[in-house]
Amino acid sequence: MKQLLVIGYVWPEPNSSAAGRNMLTLLQFFQQQNYQITFASPAAESPHRFQFEEWGIAKAEIELNNESFDHFVSALNPDVVLFDRFMMEEQFGWRVSKHCPNAIKILDLEDLCSLRNARQLALKQNRTLNDIDYKSELALREIAAIWRCDLALVISSFEMELLQTKYSLPAEKLFHLPFLLDEMPEPASWQTYDDRAHFVTIGNFRHEPNWDAVLYLQQKIWPLIRAKLKHAEMHIYGAYVPKKATQLNNPKQGFLVKGWADDAEAVVSSARVCLAPLRFGAGLKGKLFEAMLVGTPSVTTPIGAEAMHADLTWPGAIAQTDAEFAEAAINLYQDKSVWQQAQQQGKTLLETLYLAEPHINSLKQSIKLIEENLEDFRNRNIIGAMLQHHTMKSTQYMAQWIEAKNKNT
């Protein structure tokens, strides 16, 4: 049986973030391909982490800058190593290459961290989101990690194009893997317009775009909605709610910070409209995908909808300004026929773009092609080889220096 080693930036929390749910999809994929999986991470455990041991997946705790990982990975001798975000490739990629040179290295980007950070900086500096630094230190680190791996999983079609046009990455190193849906939800199970009430948003508060969206919603958009809908409520859910967020709770204004949701699907499915005024970010937005899954129309921004609907109609509205956002939200909330049409548009999006089978079959073939032609594949990747050589040396020496320093303290 083939061995897969997953090196996680964090332990997967499917009830806390879209990244956690996406990781479970990848684990299921490799299990279906008959891989024995070990999930390892240097992160501290959370009470919300998924108990993947129930799936027969082994758990391993690893340390940064410690040669114990060398012994661990040599003994495991994985056929494939999946790095959860580029920071894990930076920390452990050189060790994998040194001790398991024939292991296929796959990088799961989730979203382009450098793009998200550059957009956040542009917002803070009152620049447009198109006026960003594509050659920041973070961007160069992230792109270098892609070059050093055999394949990068890219969740956004926008980012697929960006990586090829801005950074000249070859298409054979990139694989577009959006959110995946094993089967279509049954619309008959969706709650009706009349059975629903109020607005909802949900998201992990440790993710900066989510906190910014909640704050912006409270300061700019909700007052406009509340002025027209006197009895409507805005329900805010999310993991790891900080004190600054709970202080926004205002029952008199119908702005309710509810915190952790034991059943995210239930709270989104009982709301009439999902609001996501995201002003920066990258990748695909889990809250908007989840809204489609339970038949909840949504209002978002161009950033929120980016790469999520191709040329199909959005299941709700995409708004450019605060006034447009509030007007669209009010219209969806009050007009049953508009709401029902938006719900059906969400169903069309799901069945057109997100059904798993074609994506899974293509990923299976891509990995097989690399496996059967690994030497030729790497011989063509001269940039990756150069980065591997120099990065291995610099990262190796830095890691060994930190390790020696830790031993002496």
Side-chain angles (χ1 to χ4, degrees):
M1 182 176 286
K2 292 180 181 179
Q3 293 280 344
L4 168 71
L5 170 63
V6 181
I7 303 179
Y9 178 63
V10 294
W11 302 99
E13 297 183 19
N15 292 327
S16 300
S17 69
R21 292 189 292 276
N22 202 43
M23 176 54 71
L24 293 196
T25 298
L26 288 172
L27 295 178
Q28 287 177 315
F29 164 76
F30 280 103
Q31 279 199 320
Q32 290 166 1
Q33 310 312 309
N34 296 316
Y35 280 81
Q36 177 62 49
I37 303 173
T38 299
F39 194 104
S41 177
E45 269 204 69
S46 158
H48 302 307
R49 84 142 173 110
F50 182 73
Q51 300 296 316
F52 47 70
E53 296 91 334
E54 298 174 2
W55 289 7
I57 295 173
K59 173 179 174 289
E61 296 179 1
I62 53 179
E63 294 184 41
L64 300 172
N65 305 309
N66 195 310
E67 66 179 3
S68 61
F69 180 83
D70 301 345
H71 306 303
F72 162 73
V73 77
S74 296
L76 186 64
N77 193 27
D79 299 278
V80 177
V81 177
L82 176 67
F83 300 99
D84 173 25
R85 290 168 250 203
F86 82 93
M87 296 81 82
M88 293 298 95
E89 190 281 334
E90 284 186 331
Q91 290 289 338
F92 296 101
W94 69 271
R95 294 183 184 271
V96 170
S97 294
K98 181 177 181 180
H99 297 285
C100 304
N102 294 321
I104 294 173
K105 297 193 298 181
I106 301 176
L107 175 58
D108 180 26
L109 290 165
E110 288 297 342
D111 65 1
L112 277 181
C113 180
S114 56
L115 178 63
R116 169 167 34 90
N117 281 30
R119 285 172 166 174
Q120 182 177 10
L121 182 61
L123 183 66
K124 287 181 178 179
Q125 296 177 347
N126 293 316
R127 293 183 283 113
T128 70
L129 296 190
N130 293 322
D131 181 20
I132 65 173
D133 181 9
Y134 288 103
K135 295 182 180 178
S136 67
E137 179 184 345
L138 194 63
L140 297 179
R141 287 170 55 196
E142 195 163 28
I143 299 307
I146 296 173
W147 277 108
R148 288 191 297 266
C149 288
D150 299 304
L151 189 67
L153 305 180
V154 187
I155 202 168
S156 160
S157 57
F158 173 85
E159 290 165 23
M160 279 285 289
E161 183 178 355
L162 181 72
L163 289 170
Q164 293 175 76
T165 56
K166 282 287 184 183
Y167 298 106
S168 300
L169 278 151
E172 69 176 359
K173 290 190 69 65
L174 307 172
F175 187 88
H176 179 221
L177 191 68
F179 294 140
L180 298 181
L181 185 60
D182 287 332
E183 58 183 10
M184 281 293 296
E186 180 50 60
S189 68
W190 291 342
Q191 293 193 55
T192 66
Y193 171 90
D194 295 316
D195 291 334
R196 298 170 181 248
H198 307 308
F199 295 88
V200 71
T201 193
I202 190 167
N204 190 325
F205 278 86
R206 288 180 176 174
H207 193 54
E208 282 291 330
N210 289 336
W211 162 239
D212 177 80
V214 168
L215 190 61
Y216 194 73
L217 185 61
Q218 187 264 345
Q219 293 176 343
K220 301 291 186 180
I221 296 174
W222 183 244
L224 299 176
I225 297 174
R226 181 73 172 187
K228 295 288 183 69
L229 301 175
K230 302 294 186 184
H231 302 292
E233 295 175 357
M234 183 70 236
H235 294 182
I236 313 291
Y237 290 92
Y240 304 106
V241 184
K243 186 177 181 180
K244 62 184 179 182
T246 59
Q247 290 174 339
L248 299 179
N249 188 65
N250 189 336
K252 288 185 178 180
Q253 292 299 317
F255 197 86
L256 306 178
V257 180
K258 303 229 171 201
W260 174 264
D262 291 326
D263 188 339
E265 184 175 298
V267 300
V268 177
S269 66
S270 64
R272 190 171 289 177
V273 180
C274 174
L275 302 183
L278 293 155
R279 299 196 296 166
F280 65 93
L284 303 185
K285 314 308 181 293
K287 61 176 67 61
L288 296 171
F289 183 68
E290 190 166 55
M292 285 186 257
L293 290 177
V294 296
T296 304
S298 60
V299 183
T300 189
T301 61
I303 285 291
E306 182 179 84
M308 291 199 69
H309 64 112
D311 58 352
L312 299 173
T313 302
W314 186 256
I318 302 170
Q320 296 277 0
T321 68
D322 302 348
E324 287 178 4
F325 198 104
E327 183 181 357
I330 293 166
N331 187 39
L332 265 176
Y333 197 85
Q334 292 184 316
D335 193 320
K336 185 174 181 178
S337 63
V338 170
W339 186 92
Q340 290 174 329
Q341 184 178 13
Q343 187 182 67
Q344 288 303 308
Q345 287 161 345
K347 177 177 177 291
T348 301
L349 273 185
L350 291 175
E351 59 191 9
T352 305
L353 302 177
Y354 295 104
L355 285 176
E357 187 174 356
H359 298 287
I360 290 299
N361 290 338
S362 294
L363 179 58
K364 189 190 313 181
Q365 291 302 314
S366 293
I367 295 174
K368 182 180 179 182
L369 186 64
I370 294 171
E371 182 181 51
E372 293 175 349
N373 302 277
L374 186 60
E375 184 176 354
D376 289 342
F377 195 84
R378 288 180 174 172
N379 284 341
R380 293 197 299 273
N381 184 17
I382 189 65
I383 294 177
M386 288 190 297
L387 289 168
Q388 182 69 47
H389 170 76
H390 292 292
T391 304
M392 181 180 286
K393 295 301 181 186
S394 60
T395 309
Q396 177 181 347
Y397 294 148
M398 176 60 74
Q400 290 173 340
W401 179 82
I402 294 172
E403 185 174 0
K405 183 174 179 291
N406 290 340
K407 287 179 179 178
N408 294 327
T409 56

